[in-house]
């Protein structure tokens, strides 16, 4: 594990590993929010093919799409590496599964079917050799889960059809919610679906809701869990587990020991039993935070036993487990990393064997196929984006692995902040750890600002793994010359039972010292500026952010909490699981421990807060009730000791789902941090921004470079000659800011007529030959590679940089005429001289990029048309004062010679 004891000598010797050179593209919010991810891996029966789902954020649709992909380990076309095909394209597909013989694929999709009475997600079948997907089911309330039971049938979970009472409510448009009504807890049952005919047959007649299920490889048995109540505020209604013999229809309840309710079932290849995991804590009656244990159920004995992991009190990590040939592979919890281990199954139990592949210490996903040897895993660190690998696993060793697929290649061109695991002495004298991200241009001889970003849970954990999203975005802060500190405080998971349970009954008492002492260690080492600290977090990260600003009101210059509690007395009843959470962490019920609840509620200490605070909350949050955000805001607003801003996100639950809301959250965070930590903008400037859009002409004028002038004329002086000013757009095109003016053209042709007062008008009446001769003259005079633009460049310039109202017939008419109207107006235009219709360059609003940035460019689709190089010679294109592109025309009509001019391009 890459750890670093926070000692002064170690930090002073550190050197920057990742610098940001001038030609590297900066990080943007788009880079953070549009990352693609890989999920739902399913390996084929013989290990040669892998199904997986790519999740792709779609800003236009304001949602994340998901589609199924197929990767061949051996390219069927003879290539040297894996080959991948996209199998679905509708963006609403998930959970692909190979049939046992590998001939068909079943997956779930919410795409529409032909059945009018079918809604929600349905089961679909696909032939991997080709052809369109076929709907297998048309169930009224949709399919919730699906698994193959043999080559012809799948088991699915689904609701029965609507009851008469439900139909009545729908017909009468009765939308009242009956909260936690057990009589309305509609059964979810198991059914078999014959894929060829679509016939659906009920398998179980349970009264409640089947959640997870897993059929045995031979299709004889299925294990499933049954939730018998809609009430999940407390832990009295634990799910029950059953084993169903599909041949005899006999159902047996298993795992009937109180508080043992495993899930995440995986059968062994021979069908002799299955593994499952279960959470274990000292207060199971509250389902309190704990560790994960691994169990094995033996079919012949109809009994189960705990798999002895021999790993202290840490248990199975977030990387989970997977059944492999000869036993089971487990990603054990090991603080910010994993301890990978192979447990060989023997007649007497399990024998642990070391896994030496260090990559698996950073593998948060590890899946094996039916052959027990083919595995897919992901690898990343806090400063290394994920790679997805497929290989062969034998006795704990990974052999012959290769890239499964590559996602987010765009990150390869970005500077990634250096990150490492750090340790320090926290509460109770115990060593705690966290992740530290460095500024992009880190210099060990100076101190930097730092944002502390706190994870939720509280039993979550910050792993030494890639984490980038709307709650954690270290690169956006690192390129602002700041450290990002992510502490694993007491109460965090992945560190053992004692550690995760240490805060029960003493909330805040260990976490706050942990975080502050971590900050103290960094500031004492001289790398972090103690006067430039900020803190933020979501959920429990927000809860601790709030408490930090109360206990240490002078420590932080800025705070940005999201979806955090401030009043535990009201949380108990308003949180969906408030009873079990609050009883676990706050000793019991609020009426029994009233003073303790009040003492632990930050609401009653809000007068101490001095830190400018930005609050976020979703309106439909039931994990941390939306009302908590209002209590927080109203307290700070009424007390008035600290600036406060509150943003609520309509329709959002505990996590923000809509990409537009995620973007707004990050934008607001950065503006708040820029204002109060970095001092880049004042609140007065931010209010001004709201009055005037960034792409308004006045805003652009204020931020743009001033156009070059020589002796009062537009252009630059080169060797005593007036030449056009050029600007660089993006990385590819350097182009004239204006059309070539009459004064600039006269520098080439002394006989070119420039009437008094028109020196800055565009040169017009220019023939193709004269345009070409002009740029050749420019090359000779300056030694620079001037040329005429290509037709493609000029068309792209028009698309990307046209102004909002350029000098065209639409300007002079006061409206955009139709082709027929323009035909009727031509005679009116013909009555006027060219000089009367043309304007000095730059008279009309400038064009700018899609983001409102970049240098201003003028008259790219108006004033005069411009010569461009095409396959068949030079052609004049884009609109002018006398020509206009119709809304359905491919290009502007050929402009008259009298309104044709020149714009130059400079090759660098």
């Amino acid at each position: 594990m890459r750890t670093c004891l926070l000692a002064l000598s170690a930090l002073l010797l550190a050197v920057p590993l990742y610098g940001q050179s001038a030609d590297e593209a900066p990080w943007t919010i788009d880079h953070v929010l549009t990352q693609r991810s890989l999920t739902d891996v399913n390996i084929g029966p013989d290990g040669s093919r892998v199904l997986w789902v790519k999740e792709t954020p779609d800003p236009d649709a304001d949602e994340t799409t998901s589609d199924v992909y197929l990767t061949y380990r051996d390219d069927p076309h003879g290539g040297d590496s894996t080959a991948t095909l996209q199998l679905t394209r509708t963006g609403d597909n998930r959970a692909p599964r190979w049939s046992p013989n590998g001939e068909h694929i079943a997956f779930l999709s919410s795409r529409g079917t032909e059945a009018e009475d079918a809604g929600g997600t349905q089961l679909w079948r696909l032939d991997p050799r080709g052809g369109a997907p076929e709907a297998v089911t048309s169930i009224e309330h949709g399919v919730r889960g699906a698994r193959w039971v043999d080559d012809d049938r799948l088991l699915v979970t689904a609701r029965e059809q609507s009851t008469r009472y439900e139909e009545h409510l729908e017909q009468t448009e009765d939308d009242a919610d009956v909260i936690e009504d057990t009589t309305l807890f509609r059964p979810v049952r198991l059914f078999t679906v014959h894929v060829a005919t679509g016939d659906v047959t009920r398998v179980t007649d349970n009264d409640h809701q089947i959640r997870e299920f897993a059929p045995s490889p031979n299709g004889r048995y299925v294990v499933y869990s049954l939730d018998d109540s809609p009430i999940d505020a407390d832990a009295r209604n634990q799910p029950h587990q059953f084993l169903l013999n599909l041949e005899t229809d006999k159902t047996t309840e298993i795992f009937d020991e109180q508080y043992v309710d495993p899930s995440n079932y995986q059968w062994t290849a021979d069908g002799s039993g299955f593994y499952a995991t279960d959470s274990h804590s000292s207060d199971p009656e509250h389902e309190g935070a704990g560790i994960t244990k691994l169990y094995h159920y033996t079919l012949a004995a109809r009994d189960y036993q705990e798999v002895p992991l021999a790993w202290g009190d840490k248990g199975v990590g977030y990387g989970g487990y997977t059944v492999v040939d000869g036993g089971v592979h487990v990603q054990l919890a090991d603080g910010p990393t994993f301890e990978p281990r192979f447990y060989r199954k023997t007649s007497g139990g399990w024998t642990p064997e070391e896994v030496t592949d260090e990559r698996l210490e950073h593998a948060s996903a590890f899946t094996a196929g039916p052959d027990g040897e083919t595995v897919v895993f992901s690898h990343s660190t806090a400063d290394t984006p994920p790679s997805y690998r497929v290989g062969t696993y034998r006795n704990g060793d990974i052999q012959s692995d290769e890239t499964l697929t590559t996602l987010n290649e765009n990150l390869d061109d970005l500077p990634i902040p250096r990150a490492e695991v750090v340790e320090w002495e926290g509460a109770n004298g115990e060593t705690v750890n966290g992740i530290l991200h460095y500024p992009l241009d880190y210099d060990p001889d100076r101190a930097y600002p730092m944002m502390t970003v706190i994870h939720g849970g509280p039993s979550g954990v910050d792993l030494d793994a890639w984490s980038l999203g709307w709650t954690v975005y270290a690169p956006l802060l690192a390129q602002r010359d700041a450290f990002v500190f992510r502490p694993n405080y007491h109460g965090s998971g992945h560190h053992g039972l004692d550690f995760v349970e240490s805060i029960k009954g003493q909330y805040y008492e260990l976490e706050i010292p942990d975080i502050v002492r971590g900050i103290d260690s960094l500031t004492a080492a001289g790398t972090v500026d103690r006067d430039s600290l900020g803190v933020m977090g979501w959920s429990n990260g927000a809860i601790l952010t709030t408490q930090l600003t109360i206990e240490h009101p002078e420590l932080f210059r800025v705070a940005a909490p999201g979806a955090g509690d401030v009043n535990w007395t009201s949380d108990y009843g308003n949180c969906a699981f408030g009873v079990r959470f609050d009883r676990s962490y706050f000793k019991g019920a609020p009426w029994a421990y009233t003073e303790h609840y009040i003492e632990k509620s930050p609401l009653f200490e809000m007068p101490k807060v001095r830190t400018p605070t930005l609050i976020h909350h979703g309106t439909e949050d039931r994990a941390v009730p939306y009302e908590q955000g209002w209590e927080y805001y109203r307290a700070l607003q009424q007390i008035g000791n600290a600036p406060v801003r509150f943003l609520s996100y309509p329709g959002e639950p505990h996590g923000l789902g809509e990409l537009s809301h995620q973007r707004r959250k990050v934008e607001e965070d950065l503006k708040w941090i820029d204002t109060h930590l970095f001092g880049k903008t004042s609140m007065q400037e931010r209010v001004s921004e709201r009055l005037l859009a960034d792409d308004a002409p006045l805003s652009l004028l204020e931020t743009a470079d001033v156009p070059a002038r020589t002796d009062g004329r537009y252009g630059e002086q080169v060797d005593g000659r007036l030449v056009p000013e050029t600007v660089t757009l993006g990385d590819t095109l350097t182009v004239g800011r204006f059309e070539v003016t009459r004064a600039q053209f006269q520098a080439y042709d002394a006989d070119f007529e420039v009437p008094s007062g028109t020196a800055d008008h565009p040169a017009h009446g220019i023939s193709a030959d004269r345009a070409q001769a002009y740029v050749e003259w420019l090359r000779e005079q300056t030694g620079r590679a001037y040329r005429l633009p290509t037709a493609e460049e000029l068309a792209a310039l028009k698309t990307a940089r046209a102004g909002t109202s350029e000098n065209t017939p639409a300007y002079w008419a006061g409206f955009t005429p139709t082709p027929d109207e323009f035909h009727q107006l031509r005679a009116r235009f013909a009555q006027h001289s060219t000089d009367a219709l043309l304007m000095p360059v730059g008279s009309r609003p400038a064009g700018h990029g899609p983001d409102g940035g970049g240098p201003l460019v003028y008259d790219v689709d108006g004033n005069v048309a411009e010569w461009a190089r095409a396959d068949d010679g030079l052609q004049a294109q884009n609109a002018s004062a006398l020509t206009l592109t119709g809304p359905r025309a491919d290009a502007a009509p050929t402009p008259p010679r009298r309104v044709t001019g020149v714009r130059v391009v400079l090759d660098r």
Side-chain angles (χ1 to χ4, degrees):
M1 182 177 69
R2 303 173 305 136
T3 58
C4 172
L5 184 63
L6 289 186
L8 176 62
S9 59
L11 283 169
L12 290 179
L13 291 173
V15 295
L17 299 182
Y18 300 88
Q20 183 179 18
S21 63
D23 59 350
E24 287 178 310
W27 284 85
T28 66
I29 296 177
D30 279 337
H31 291 125
V32 173
L33 298 184
T34 59
Q35 288 184 100
R36 298 171 297 280
S37 58
L38 183 150
T39 63
D40 286 354
V41 171
N42 188 248
I43 301 171
D46 64 359
S48 65
R49 298 171 297 172
V50 180
L51 293 171
W52 51 278
V53 169
K54 180 162 70 174
E55 294 188 345
T56 305
D58 183 351
D60 292 334
D62 207 10
E63 64 184 11
T64 297
T65 63
S66 58
D67 276 301
V68 179
Y69 287 73
L70 167 60
T71 296
Y72 292 88
R73 291 192 67 182
D74 295 318
D75 187 344
H77 300 293
D80 296 331
S81 60
T82 58
T84 297
L85 302 175
Q86 183 173 350
L87 298 182
T88 67
R89 299 183 182 276
T90 58
D92 52 0
N93 310 282
R94 60 182 177 86
R97 293 290 184 271
W98 287 105
S99 62
N101 61 11
E103 293 185 1
H104 287 94
I105 298 165
F107 65 95
L108 300 180
S109 178
S110 58
R111 64 177 73 191
T113 66
E114 294 181 359
E116 295 182 0
D117 58 346
T121 298
Q122 300 295 335
L123 179 66
W124 293 72
R125 182 177 66 161
L126 180 65
D127 188 330
R129 294 166 296 187
E134 300 174 346
V136 178
T137 62
S138 56
I139 296 174
E140 180 182 357
H141 293 286
V143 172
R144 302 198 178 191
R147 300 285 290 273
W148 290 93
V149 66
D150 55 40
D151 291 325
D152 300 316
R153 299 175 301 155
L154 288 106
L155 276 173
V156 302
T157 45
R159 266 203 56 189
E160 301 283 359
Q161 62 268 30
S162 295
T163 64
R164 179 178 175 275
Y165 179 62
E166 287 178 294
E167 292 175 350
H168 166 73
L169 293 178
E170 183 175 355
Q171 292 169 359
T172 58
E173 298 183 351
D174 186 337
D175 60 355
D177 285 331
V178 181
I179 305 301
E180 296 181 344
D181 187 340
T182 56
T183 67
L184 298 178
F185 193 52
R186 305 301 183 195
V188 173
R189 295 175 173 138
L190 276 174
F191 300 82
T192 57
V193 178
H194 197 285
V195 292
T197 64
D199 291 341
V200 178
T201 304
R202 183 185 298 105
V203 175
T204 62
D205 58 0
N206 50 282
D207 291 332
H208 306 300
Q209 295 193 353
I210 293 177
R211 302 290 189 179
E212 182 184 358
F213 68 97
S216 62
N218 58 16
R220 183 177 179 184
Y221 291 93
V222 59
V223 57
Y224 64 86
S225 62
L226 186 69
D227 191 350
D228 62 4
S229 174
I231 300 174
D232 61 1
D234 57 58
R236 287 178 293 183
N237 300 292
Q238 304 276 354
H240 301 275
Q241 293 73 41
F242 295 89
L243 182 68
L244 168 63
N245 187 323
L246 293 171
E247 295 178 353
T248 65
D249 293 332
K250 181 180 179 180
T251 301
T252 305
E253 184 172 0
I254 56 178
F255 298 110
D256 54 358
E257 181 181 344
Q258 188 178 21
Y259 303 130
V260 177
D261 55 339
S263 58
N264 187 24
Y265 314 117
Q266 292 188 39
W267 286 86
T268 58
D270 61 5
S272 63
F274 60 86
Y275 292 87
T277 56
D278 189 29
S279 178
H280 167 76
S281 69
S282 64
D283 56 343
E285 68 275 14
H286 305 313
E287 288 190 336
I291 62 172
T292 299
K293 291 187 174 184
L294 181 64
Y295 293 89
H296 180 267
Y297 185 92
T298 305
L299 204 59
R302 293 295 194 271
D303 199 6
Y304 67 92
Q305 64 184 118
E306 181 184 343
V307 177
L309 300 176
W311 188 239
D313 71 343
K314 292 184 179 180
V316 180
Y318 294 142
Y321 79 96
T322 189
V323 176
V324 294
D325 185 36
V328 61
H329 176 93
V330 183
Q331 291 291 94
L332 297 168
D334 194 21
T337 59
F338 298 95
E339 171 70 16
R341 190 171 291 179
F342 170 56
Y343 292 87
R344 185 183 301 280
K345 184 71 173 71
T346 65
S347 59
W350 291 266
T351 301
E353 298 182 8
E354 182 181 3
V355 175
T356 58
D357 195 321
E358 294 183 355
R359 292 175 300 175
L360 298 188
E361 295 177 8
H362 298 86
S364 55
F366 191 94
T367 302
D371 63 1
E373 291 190 341
T374 305
V375 295
V376 171
F377 65 96
S378 66
H379 170 269
S380 73
T381 66
D383 53 18
T384 308
S387 62
Y388 304 97
R389 311 287 296 176
V390 56
T392 301
Y393 180 99
R394 292 191 178 101
N395 301 320
D397 291 328
I398 294 180
Q399 305 166 2
S400 306
D401 65 287
E402 55 191 330
T403 298
L404 174 71
T405 190
T406 301
L407 303 179
N408 305 308
E409 299 93 329
N410 60 317
L411 299 186
D412 294 341
D413 298 326
L414 295 172
I416 296 177
R418 167 190 171 191
E420 63 187 7
V421 176
V422 293
E423 294 180 346
W424 65 96
E425 184 180 293
N428 294 337
E430 296 177 294
T431 299
V432 292
N433 63 64
I435 309 298
L436 183 67
H437 301 262
Y438 282 67
L440 282 180
D441 290 318
Y442 174 63
D443 178 354
D445 293 327
R446 60 161 287 196
Y448 289 85
M450 185 173 76
M451 284 296 299
T452 297
V453 182
I454 308 174
H455 69 71
S459 59
V461 65
D462 279 316
L463 296 171
D464 185 11
W466 188 253
S467 180
L468 185 63
W470 56 272
T471 60
V472 179
Y473 40 83
L476 294 179
L477 297 168
Q479 72 182 8
R480 283 169 162 76
D481 273 348
F483 279 100
V484 175
F485 177 46
R486 298 162 56 204
N488 285 319
Y489 49 84
H490 276 81
S492 299
H494 232 247
H495 288 72
L497 186 61
D498 288 345
F499 196 83
V500 76
E501 292 195 321
S502 61
I503 64 173
K504 293 178 180 179
Q506 48 182 355
Y507 217 74
Y508 304 118
E509 296 172 27
L510 304 180
E511 312 98 289
I512 298 301
D514 282 345
I515 297 168
V516 172
R517 290 177 188 178
I519 294 171
D520 289 344
S521 297
L522 291 165
T523 57
T527 58
V528 171
D529 183 356
R530 193 175 182 83
D531 294 328
S532 300
L533 300 175
V535 61
M536 63 190 298
W538 195 266
S539 192
N540 196 69
I543 292 168
L544 295 181
T545 292
T546 304
Q547 189 67 15
L548 282 163
T549 64
I550 287 173
E551 294 190 27
H552 301 274
E554 304 301 329
L555 186 59
F556 300 101
R557 292 185 176 272
V558 66
D565 283 279
V566 294
N567 186 356
W568 296 112
T569 65
S570 58
D571 177 82
Y572 185 89
N574 291 326
C575 172
F577 50 85
V579 174
R580 49 191 165 96
F581 184 95
D582 294 352
R583 287 194 180 203
S584 178
Y585 284 106
F586 301 112
K587 300 183 178 182
W591 48 83
Y593 295 91
T594 306
E595 292 301 320
H596 185 74
Y597 270 73
I598 294 174
E599 176 188 347
K600 294 299 181 183
S601 295
L603 178 69
F604 305 107
E605 297 187 87
M606 286 294 166
K608 296 179 181 178
V609 176
R610 298 292 186 274
T611 307
T613 302
L614 173 65
I615 303 168
H616 304 277
H617 225 119
T619 62
E620 301 305 312
D621 194 342
R622 289 291 314 284
V624 175
Y626 176 49
E627 294 77 15
Q628 295 287 328
W630 273 107
E631 292 189 57
Y632 194 0
Y633 167 72
R634 188 59 72 210
L636 292 182
Q637 180 266 328
Q638 285 293 301
I639 294 166
N641 289 339
V644 61
R645 181 170 167 82
F646 178 25
L647 275 81
S648 69
Y649 300 89
E652 292 285 13
H654 191 51
L656 303 182
E658 295 186 13
L659 297 179
S660 58
H661 288 159
Q662 295 176 7
R663 173 178 293 278
R664 180 67 185 275
K665 188 264 181 189
V666 178
E667 288 175 343
E668 290 286 343
D669 283 347
L670 293 176
K671 289 179 180 180
W672 195 254
I673 293 167
D674 282 346
T675 299
H676 296 288
L677 182 62
F678 299 120
K680 292 184 177 180
T681 58
S682 66
M683 285 306 299
Q684 182 177 359
E685 289 171 321
R686 292 184 62 193
V687 171
S688 177
E689 291 174 0
R690 298 174 203 156
L691 296 176
L692 198 64
D694 290 341
D695 59 355
L698 181 58
S699 297
L700 294 170
L701 184 63
E702 293 169 348
T703 59
D705 294 334
V706 177
R709 282 184 176 271
T710 300
D711 296 330
R713 305 290 182 229
Y714 281 124
E716 300 173 327
Q717 193 84 11
V718 177
D719 294 334
R721 302 283 187 177
L722 184 67
V723 302
E725 177 195 8
T726 58
V727 293
T728 300
L729 309 179
D731 299 324
T732 58
L733 184 64
T734 299
V735 66
R737 186 193 293 274
F738 305 107
E739 296 157 330
V740 173
T741 66
R742 293 177 179 178
Q744 293 166 1
F745 201 83
Q746 191 181 54
Y748 152 68
D749 180 0
D751 295 331
F752 185 75
E753 185 177 354
V754 180
S756 176
T758 67
D760 284 334
H761 280 61
H764 67 99
I766 308 298
S767 67
D769 290 342
R770 295 189 77 197
Q772 183 62 43
Y774 173 70
V775 295
E776 291 175 357
W777 172 82
L778 278 178
R779 284 200 298 267
E780 294 174 359
Q781 292 295 318
T782 64
R784 299 176 182 175
Y786 287 100
R787 61 174 172 83
L788 294 176
T790 66
E792 291 79 9
E793 288 170 336
L794 209 55
L797 189 65
K798 166 191 168 183
T799 300
R801 297 277 173 163
T804 55
S805 177
E806 301 213 347
N807 180 16
T808 67
Y811 166 77
W812 292 106
F815 70 99
T816 301
T818 67
D820 293 332
E821 290 171 326
F822 182 52
H823 181 74
Q824 294 172 342
L825 288 170
R826 280 182 175 175
R828 299 278 296 273
F829 279 98
Q831 297 175 11
H832 299 280
S833 68
T834 305
D835 281 349
L837 294 173
L838 295 181
M839 301 177 180
V841 296
S843 297
R844 303 301 300 148
H848 53 81
D851 59 355
L856 303 185
V857 184
Y858 295 82
D859 304 320
V860 299
D861 196 34
N863 223 7
V864 293
E866 300 159 8
W867 287 107
R869 296 183 299 160
D871 293 339
D872 55 353
L874 296 181
Q875 64 179 30
Q877 66 181 61
N878 290 358
S880 71
L882 287 176
T883 52
L884 184 69
T885 304
R888 297 179 181 176
D890 292 334
T894 301
R897 174 68 60 82
R898 67 180 176 126
V899 286
T900 300
V902 186
R903 187 185 299 269
V904 300
V905 167
L906 177 60
D907 289 330
R908 294 185 179 274

